Amino acid sequence: MHRLGDVMDELRGQLAELEQRVHEASSHYDDEPWQAENFARHLPGKHELSLVATVRGKPVGFVIASRRPEGTHIHRVATDPRHQGTGIASRLLALFLARTPGIVTLICDPRNRTALDLYARAGFRVTGTAAEGKLSLAAGTPLYR
Ligand SMILES: CC(C)(COP(=O)(O)OP(=O)(O)OC[C@H]1O[C@@H](n2cnc3c(N)ncnc32)[C@H](O)[C@@H]1OP(=O)(O)O)[C@@H](O)C(=O)NCCC(=O)NCCS
């Protein structure tokens, strides 16, 4: 597992290829696959918080997140179709949550049962609905200042 910032220069093209493969193999992932510049784009905390799993130096999964005023938001979770069902996303999420204090949010298509089961096991709960009928989920507890 690597922090996104540590592998960005080397792997940004491969991350976009992985995103494209996941997009083609999945029916309820996000509408438009991210390009290399989306992975590289700077958002608060993104390069420190986001995690990339590699096998023999090639990316096989990622959790991409950034800080928002109310907590940390996960933008992308994906595992290479050839490696799905082997625990990569579960391990990425567990490490991510262990390293990220406060509330962590994400949005998921309600038809994406595999992802919703994964998030429930990782400790996320449904908190409401978002645009286009998607579900809002959250894990963690608020940080008080
Ligand atoms: C959702 C996703 C990230 C899960 O990643 P993963 O690395 O396969 O997940 P894990 O292996 O850690 O665990 C997921 C669980 O679902 C099962 N699973 C995962 N993918 C599966 C698949 N394609 N077919 C059947 N079962 C699957 C695993 O066996 C595991 O169950 P278990 O813990 O009872 O053994 C992955 O399926 C994916 O990339 N989907 C497309 C992108 C997507 O939808 N992202 C989420 C957007 S909100």
Side-chain angles (χ1 to χ4, degrees):
M1 307 260 180
H2 308 271
R3 291 195 311 180
L4 178 66
D6 295 337
V7 295
M8 172 58 74
D9 289 345
E10 191 189 346
L11 298 185
R12 96 177 51 174
Q14 292 183 50
L15 286 168
E17 289 166 18
L18 168 57
E19 165 88 350
Q20 185 65 39
R21 283 199 300 283
V22 172
H23 184 79
E24 284 167 10
S26 317
S27 17
H28 306 304
Y29 192 28
D30 284 270
D31 300 335
E32 289 297 326
W34 271 15
Q35 308 299 317
E37 54 268 27
N38 297 102
F39 284 96
R41 186 174 160 220
H42 272 280
L43 291 172
K46 181 176 161 195
H47 287 198
E48 298 77 47
L49 293 166
S50 303
L51 296 173
V52 177
T54 58
V55 171
R56 289 184 289 279
K58 305 248 182 254
V60 294
F62 50 73
V63 173
I64 308 292
S66 68
R67 283 203 190 90
R68 288 184 174 173
E70 64 280 10
T72 301
H73 186 71
I74 295 180
H75 302 272
R76 283 292 202 261
V77 177
T79 298
D80 189 311
R82 291 170 291 197
H83 292 268
Q84 286 178 10
T86 64
I88 289 173
S90 306
R91 291 202 296 276
L92 280 168
L93 278 176
L95 180 59
F96 178 85
L97 291 172
R99 284 180 171 187
T100 308
I103 291 284
V104 177
T105 58
L106 59 84
I107 306 278
C108 187
D109 190 306
R111 296 165 294 183
N112 196 343
R113 292 308 322 172
T114 305
L116 288 171
D117 289 349
L118 170 81
Y119 296 140
R121 278 201 314 279
F124 284 85
R125 60 207 179 276
V126 175
T127 54
T129 46
E132 298 165 7
K134 297 202 174 168
L135 299 174
S136 307
L137 290 89
T141 48
L143 291 176
Y144 294 102
R145 281 179 266 177

